[in-house]
């Protein structure tokens, strides 16, 4: 909070209102007093201007719950896994992921127990969903709840194995080079409507330059240089831009992830909030160590 | 998937990417190999173009869950009956339907137990909600979750016993004849605003011809011939058009059902998705035999 | 329902349809018969025109559940407190309010037990959330679920302790007088954009006269007389207008409540329905005595 110019009258009024701390603090004098409750802490942070007023959809949850280290219990995570519509309209996670037997449960993934959540997918290729104690934003569990499949609006059932998909995947696997094959066979796909599914716009319809707006995430998919520069290069600076291609590794490359992975729960509309409060809570539980009791 | 013309280069790239099955299958060669997991089956179906890319809102759930015969447990059905907002914004089903005592529970319907769900309404006229093992789409349980009351936007509390409602019901009960009474007293109601409730459009505002658009469900309520032809006569063919009148039987006639039955949960907006994923799951449980354990 | 002019033919048709009660009742003859089930009662009320056809978003729930005195069980209330998204998109209440220990749970409020709900906030200032057996609409529990913080759109984290907030609070505490200080320092705040938060419109952008539209709630915050008159003075009459200022008592004054209290769950959009069916059910449980068993 910028130091405001209080008139003597305003200062007196604040004082009369019993807002001694506020009056002193606004007058530039810091008041030290023992914080005992989380409500008091939140109010003091608000008064001190330490609460962010902008950010992602979930910033309120961040400020109130995550930053205050309110412990997220496994009981609540269990509720989220079993409750319909917990992360947006859809069936509960455990309808499809309820066993380590891959003949009955997709990917041999069991989200109905704490152990099962931590173990992850048991079908080959086996894969953990996150690393307890770390930020899971780009790990599979949270990624699958947040990231919309591209091109936007493409259904879950639309193939991710078309020749064009395979060309992109293989180009990344081969090192993402700026060679004749790329320029002739791969790069044009990003500027072509319907390249990755029926009735879909070209990637470059939304990602055409390093300026947002109009280019979402300041991502430019119209040239090799733009693709390799990555996302948010203006907001974060060129050096800290988010890489969207990891040469040699399609599975870790955001471009491929967005082309190949569908958002959960199946059928959720891309317009549904990506930062659902319960997704944030699930992240917090993981960051806090993914404790089972 | 139509057989695509692959260049030799594309074919080689696919092969290098390890997508042997895809490459061969796109080349027209069927690859037989044992399917073991449901994820593998889904991927193979996707590659083979066996996954539908369009259809109702719930087609993803159909493809992933229903067609894979993932067993729906009564535990999940129990959760749906007791959870608020399970099928769209609203109170849980069991708030109003929790006992076979019709003095306490609407229609003496108990949705809080598996036995109660299968038994159905115990108040006269007694009525089962579905037949286990069959498609329940037009049976009461699913119908009440999917069908919006007509005219659209009319509140739950608006009377379904007005003289105009009774005239339509009786005309169906009397055989739905194309007689003078029908043409003078009944047919005009369908073309008249406010005929079935305050501030409502005429039925024919939305159902005026056999072409969609503009006529929803290719349904024409402006003539006896149109009404008796039914819905979707172009899409399905005249012989397979969905009958909306069963002469002599108002309760089984869609026209009467839509005029008389309110969508659940009470107060849900007509704009809420009719094919909620959880409604589809509930249907699947019924088709799978409505097993209680 | 206005008594409709039935033709003899219509009357006969109704009679033939077996709708004897309806026919007689529409003909002006009251039919006395013992009501036994709530479904029968509802239908009779509908026929008698006793069901309101308009009102708040929750009027259907009012008609079907509240007016029928369907008992709301604590089990369902417990479900609501623990279920994500129960009152609109957001985390479950019990994530932040799960203990009487104010170092772990906001306001020392425990919503995870019936006793805790009834006890209310145990952190000073201690506060009950409602009085069992009374209408809780303006008590803290329901108020916090319904009332959007003003100015609309302001985030949870925006300070409610700015000098301008304090000036309004103190003016109410001092008796809400129409004096020089009010006219010079307080009144202008209501007509000033950004007075109570960044990027917010002036209060008078929406509350500028006693006519709705355009003035929401017929509330005029542009003069001392308008502020003291209160809300809905045309709809309810000047004598019954809802007071928005209680001189000497900011905490009970709607103006201050709206400036200082955030709607729950944190982060919910102001556009989400205020009268969520589950909020209405929660109110009903309180009106019915807030019974724990």
């Amino acid at each position: 909070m910028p130091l405001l110019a209080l008139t003597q009258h305003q200062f007196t009024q604040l004082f009369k209102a019993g807002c001694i701390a506020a009056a002193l603090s606004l007058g530039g004098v810091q008041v030290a007093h023992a914080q005992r409750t989380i409500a008091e802490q939140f109010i003091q942070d608000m008064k001190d201007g330490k609460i962010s007023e902008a950010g992602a959809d979930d910033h309120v949850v961040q400020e109130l719950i995550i930053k205050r280290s309110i412990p997220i219990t496994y009981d609540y995570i269990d509720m989220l896994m079993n409750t319909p519509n917990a992360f947006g309209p859809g069936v509960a996670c455990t309808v499809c992921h309820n066993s380590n037997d891959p003949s009955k449960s997709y990917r041999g993934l069991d989200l109905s127990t704490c152990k099962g959540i931590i173990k992850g997918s048991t079908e080959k290729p086996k894969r953990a969903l996150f690393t307890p104690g770390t930020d899971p934003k780009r790990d599979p569990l949270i990624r699958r709840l947040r990231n919309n499949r591209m091109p936007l609006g493409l259904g879950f059932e639309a193939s991710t194995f078309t020749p064009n998909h395979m060309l992109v995947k293989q180009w990344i696997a081969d090192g993402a080079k700026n060679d004749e094959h790329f320029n002739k066979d791969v790069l044009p796909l990003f500027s072509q409507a319907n390249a990755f599914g029926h009735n879909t716009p070209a990637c470059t319809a939304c990602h055409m330059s390093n300026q947002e707006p109009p280019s979402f995430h300041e991502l430019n998919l119209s040239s090799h240089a733009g693709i390799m520069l990555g996302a948010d290069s203006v907001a974060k600076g060129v050096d800290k831009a988010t890489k969207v291609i990891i040469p040699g590794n399609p599975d870790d490359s955001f471009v491929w992830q967005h082309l190949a992975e569908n958002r959960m729960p199946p059928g959720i509309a891309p317009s549904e909030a990506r930062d659902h409060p319960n997704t944030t809570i699930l992240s917090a539980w993981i960051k806090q160590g993914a404790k089972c009791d």
Side-chain angles (χ1 to χ4, degrees), chain A residues 262-286:
Chain A
N262 288 287
R263 184 169 162 198
M264 296 283 163
I268 192 169
S271 53
E272 292 287 336
R274 286 155 39 96
D275 292 300
H276 192 287
N278 287 316
T279 307
T280 306
I281 293 288
L282 180 58
S283 288
W285 175 71
I286 294 167

Side-chain angles (χ1 to χ4, degrees), chain A residues 6 8 40 103 106 111 123 131 164-165 170 189 231 251:
Chain A
L6 292 180
Q8 181 59 37
E40 286 172 346
S103 73
Y106 278 100
L111 297 176
E123 181 176 350
T131 306
N164 287 350
H165 281 85
Q170 187 58 36
L189 299 176
D251 287 340

Side-chain angles (χ1 to χ4, degrees), chain A residues 24-291:
Chain A
L24 290 178
S25 134
L26 288 166
V29 183
Q30 286 305 318
V31 184
H33 74 91
Q35 298 295 347
R36 276 168 311 193
T37 78
I38 54 170
E40 286 172 346
Q41 287 170 35
F42 184 79
I43 289 171
Q44 190 59 48
D45 282 357
M46 182 188 272
K47 289 174 180 173
D48 292 349
K50 289 185 182 163
I51 308 286
S52 76
E53 294 198 19
D57 292 345
D58 66 341
H59 65 144
V60 178
V61 174
Q62 290 285 355
E63 291 292 349
L64 278 170
I65 301 174
I66 314 304
K67 288 197 185 171
R68 311 287 146 187
S69 298
I70 291 189
I72 310 301
T73 62
Y74 171 67
D75 276 354
Y76 189 66
I77 302 303
D78 187 47
M79 167 71 89
L80 294 180
M81 293 296 140
N82 285 290
T83 301
N85 312 313
F87 304 101
V91 303
C93 305
T94 51
V95 170
C96 287
H97 299 294
N98 52 36
S99 154
N100 286 142
D101 178 349
S103 73
K104 297 192 304 185
S105 172
Y106 278 100
R107 297 281 294 130
L109 175 60
D110 183 7
L111 297 176
S112 70
T113 68
C114 191
K115 219 179 211 174
I117 295 172
I118 290 167
K119 192 188 252 184
S121 302
T122 61
E123 181 176 350
K124 288 182 188 173
K126 291 187 186 183
R127 196 166 65 160
L129 302 181
F130 53 80
T131 306
T134 68
D135 184 346
K137 188 177 176 188
R138 285 168 180 157
D139 291 332
L141 185 62
I142 301 302
R143 195 167 85 209
R144 293 301 289 267
L145 287 168
R146 294 184 77 250
N147 288 7
N148 288 306
R149 174 158 167 203
M150 297 289 159
L152 222 56
L154 204 56
F156 197 103
E157 69 296 336
S159 179
T160 61
F161 293 88
T162 70
N164 287 350
H165 281 85
M166 292 302 105
L167 281 167
V168 172
K169 187 176 189 183
Q170 187 58 36
W171 167 70
I172 302 173
D174 284 347
K177 292 172 199 147
N178 188 13
D179 57 12
E180 193 191 331
H181 165 55
F182 170 75
N183 284 285
K184 183 161 155 272
D185 300 321
V186 181
L187 183 59
L189 299 176
F190 296 123
S191 305
Q192 192 180 310
N194 308 316
F196 301 104
H198 295 303
N199 298 318
T200 57
C203 301
T204 53
C206 293
H207 303 293
M208 77 293 268
S209 74
N210 300 121
Q211 297 293 332
E212 177 174 346
S215 186
F216 285 90
H217 280 293
E218 305 172 352
L219 179 59
N220 180 4
L221 296 179
S222 68
S223 72
H224 189 271
I227 295 169
M228 301 312 287
L229 173 60
D232 301 319
S233 63
V234 177
K236 296 179 175 175
V238 168
D239 290 348
K240 293 184 177 167
T242 303
K243 295 300 172 197
V244 297
I245 298 284
I246 311 294
N249 191 341
D251 287 340
D252 286 349
S253 297
F254 290 172
V255 164
W256 177 245
Q257 287 173 359
H258 274 286
L259 285 172
E261 295 182 348
N262 288 287
R263 184 169 162 198
M264 296 283 163
I268 192 169
S271 53
E272 292 287 336
R274 286 155 39 96
D275 292 300
H276 192 287
N278 287 316
T279 307
T280 306
I281 293 288
L282 180 58
S283 288
W285 175 71
I286 294 167
K287 285 184 205 163
Q288 290 174 0
K291 287 169 197 151

